[in-house]
Amino acid sequence: MKTLVLYAHPARKSFNRQVLRKVEEALEERDYEYEVRDLYALGFNPVLSQTDIDSIKFQKTPDDVRVEQELITWADQIILIFPLWWGGMPAILRGYIDRVFSYGFAYRFDEVGSIGLLQGKRAIVLCSTGTSVEEMELTGLASSIRQIMKESILEFCGLEVVAFNFLSAVSSVEEEMREAYFSEIKKVLV
Amino acid sequence: MKTLVLYAHPARKSFNRQVLRKVEEALEERDYEYEVRDLYALGFNPVLSQTDIDSIKFQKTPDDVRVEQELITWADQIILIFPLWWGGMPAILRGYIDRVFSYGFAYRFDEVGSIGLLQGKRAIVLCSTGTSVEEMELTGLASSIRQIMKESILEFCGLEVVAFNFLSAVSSVEEEMREAYFSEIKKVLV
């Protein structure tokens, strides 16, 4: 199972970094080939420009986008690790979607509707939250976030979302709870 | 009514640009003071960095963020104009929120919970969509998008969302329909 990990967190030490480590451990235990794209470390440019848009028309993909598209093509599964900011992805990851998941690569339209072009690949979302997950479930916010991430992005492109875990990173979460998250992570990685 | 317009679209000519023009006309008719922040034209950096995070701790706001915060402080209402990409804001606007709506400026926490610090200001969202608005309402996607924009961002910071309009920019939308949008826009600007 060739695995691409998209990682977006600015801090060198963080709960997200711990999650990344656990994911790497699990992938190594399974002897999976994997590639981590640490978007902050890469200095990925997340701003979709007019040049990007034109490049779709002229089929001249920008170099930095092409590198990412080749990795996605190579991968059997994509794991997204990020902190939930303002109910969504940090801009650097949001813009990765804007630029890399482009028309003709990740989806296209025909007479009937949209067609996801990443079919046959799996996606796993591991998303830390600054608030309680229970509260997010109660208000329906968790469900709205899942719907948008799935229906508007991942499933729209044909990816099968096999796991979507919110991991509460609030300081009140006990060490025990975090360990439970980490063993859960190992389980979702089939 | 001092008005700040946040505008995020890469193309020089676009439906969003038309919406911006109509908003400007309406603001001029009302003789409102206003300021347009065209985030693409400004080359706004949307990537929240570790330096940004540290600057909150040390109360040393980065210059580009301070300029935007001063405009928000000045404004009585904020109008967001953007195309809906992947169920949300383009990364350049998403990152504007990440960086400018910072802790201690736009919200803070006390023992009881979060407190929005932009209370007393209004927000208007004008968001173009590439799919039919009716379909988005049917699938519940429109409602999820509104919930996140309101509860996780705007209302969370204390802003009163007085209008939230999805404007279908699909090519099948007739000129007549667009004119209806534009007169609707003029109405929401009280």
Side-chain angles (χ1 to χ4, degrees):
Chain A
M1 185 82 76
K2 285 169 288 182
T3 302
L4 179 67
V5 181
L6 301 179
Y7 176 75
H9 196 288
R12 260 185 235 163
K13 284 186 182 181
S14 68
F15 174 61
N16 278 265
R17 183 69 66 181
Q18 284 182 279
V19 172
L20 175 60
R21 286 277 143 73
K22 293 293 166 181
V23 165
E24 287 178 310
E25 276 173 33
L27 293 168
E28 277 159 25
E29 276 169 23
R30 279 160 186 76
D31 217 14
Y32 288 168
E33 272 185 88
Y34 70 94
E35 185 81 39
V36 176
R37 303 305 276 171
D38 178 338
L39 302 188
Y40 271 93
L42 289 167
F44 185 79
N45 167 19
V47 180
L48 178 81
S49 66
Q50 186 58 45
T51 313
D52 289 326
I53 295 169
D54 292 342
S55 77
I56 296 168
K57 221 173 351 191
F58 302 116
Q59 299 190 294
K60 276 181 141 183
T61 311
D63 288 346
D64 60 342
V65 169
R66 208 191 46 248
V67 170
E68 304 307 321
Q69 291 184 345
E70 283 170 1
L71 285 167
I72 290 170
T73 301
W74 162 84
D76 301 310
Q77 70 176 356
I78 302 171
I79 303 178
L80 296 97
I81 303 173
F82 61 94
L84 191 73
W85 288 351
W86 303 103
M89 290 175 275
I92 201 167
L93 180 56
R94 191 54 187 61
Y96 185 98
I97 306 292
D98 291 347
R99 297 189 64 221
V100 177
F101 283 45
S102 59
Y103 185 85
F105 172 73
Y107 69 99
R108 65 179 180 83
F109 291 109
D110 71 1
E111 311 77 43
V112 188
S114 66
I115 299 166
L117 300 177
L118 304 181
Q119 279 170 37
K121 299 178 192 291
R122 303 153 38 114
I124 291 170
V125 178
L126 302 173
C127 168
S128 75
T129 73
T131 48
S132 125
V133 177
E134 290 72 23
E135 208 180 292
M136 280 173 51
E137 293 289 359
L138 271 176
T139 59
L141 208 50
S143 149
S144 291
I145 292 164
R146 272 192 299 263
Q147 185 183 19
I148 292 174
M149 282 289 293
K150 287 182 173 184
E151 293 176 25
S152 286
I153 305 177
L154 302 170
E155 292 173 356
F156 179 83
C157 294
L159 291 158
E160 184 199 356
V161 181
V162 292
F164 198 122
N165 290 23
F166 289 114
L167 313 169
S168 178
V170 288
S171 46
S172 61
V173 169
E174 308 288 340
E175 195 56 33
E176 205 176 287
M177 187 72 189
R178 298 210 174 179
E179 287 307 320
Y181 286 155
F182 295 146
S183 48
E184 183 61 27
I185 288 170
K186 298 210 169 183
K187 265 185 258 164
V188 301
L189 294 181
V190 181
Chain B
M1 185 83 76
K2 285 170 286 181
T3 302
L4 179 66
V5 181
L6 300 180
Y7 176 75
H9 197 288
R12 259 183 238 164
K13 283 186 182 181
S14 69
F15 174 61
N16 277 265
R17 183 69 64 182
Q18 284 182 279
V19 172
L20 174 61
R21 285 279 141 73
K22 292 293 166 182
V23 165
E24 288 178 309
E25 277 172 34
L27 292 168
E28 277 158 24
E29 277 169 22
R30 280 163 185 76
D31 216 13
Y32 288 170
E33 270 185 271
Y34 71 93
E35 184 81 38
V36 176
R37 302 306 277 171
D38 178 339
L39 302 188
Y40 271 92
L42 289 169
F44 185 79
N45 167 20
V47 180
L48 178 79
S49 66
Q50 186 59 46
T51 313
D52 289 326
I53 296 171
D54 292 342
S55 76
I56 295 166
K57 219 173 354 192
F58 302 116
Q59 300 189 293
K60 276 179 141 185
T61 310
D63 288 347
D64 60 343
V65 169
R66 206 190 49 246
V67 170
E68 302 308 320
Q69 290 185 345
E70 284 170 0
L71 284 167
I72 290 170
T73 301
W74 162 83
D76 301 310
Q77 71 176 356
I78 302 171
I79 302 178
L80 295 98
I81 303 174
F82 61 94
L84 192 72
W85 288 352
W86 304 103
M89 291 175 273
I92 201 167
L93 181 56
R94 192 55 186 62
Y96 186 99
I97 306 291
D98 291 348
R99 295 188 66 220
V100 177
F101 282 44
S102 59
Y103 185 85
F105 172 73
Y107 67 99
R108 65 179 180 85
F109 291 110
D110 69 2
E111 312 76 43
V112 188
S114 65
I115 300 165
L117 300 177
L118 304 181
Q119 279 170 37
K121 298 178 192 293
R122 301 154 40 113
I124 290 170
V125 178
L126 301 173
C127 169
S128 74
T129 75
T131 49
S132 124
V133 178
E134 289 71 24
E135 210 179 291
M136 281 174 52
E137 294 287 359
L138 271 176
T139 60
L141 209 51
S143 148
S144 292
I145 292 163
R146 272 192 297 262
Q147 185 183 18
I148 292 174
M149 283 288 293
K150 287 183 173 183
E151 293 177 24
S152 285
I153 305 176
L154 303 169
E155 291 173 356
F156 179 83
C157 295
L159 290 158
E160 184 198 357
V161 181
V162 293
F164 197 122
N165 289 26
F166 288 114
L167 313 169
S168 179
V170 290
S171 46
S172 60
V173 168
E174 309 287 342
E175 195 57 34
E176 205 175 288
M177 187 73 189
R178 298 209 174 179
E179 288 305 322
Y181 287 155
F182 296 145
S183 48
E184 183 62 27
I185 288 170
K186 299 210 170 184
K187 265 183 257 163
V188 300
L189 293 181
V190 181

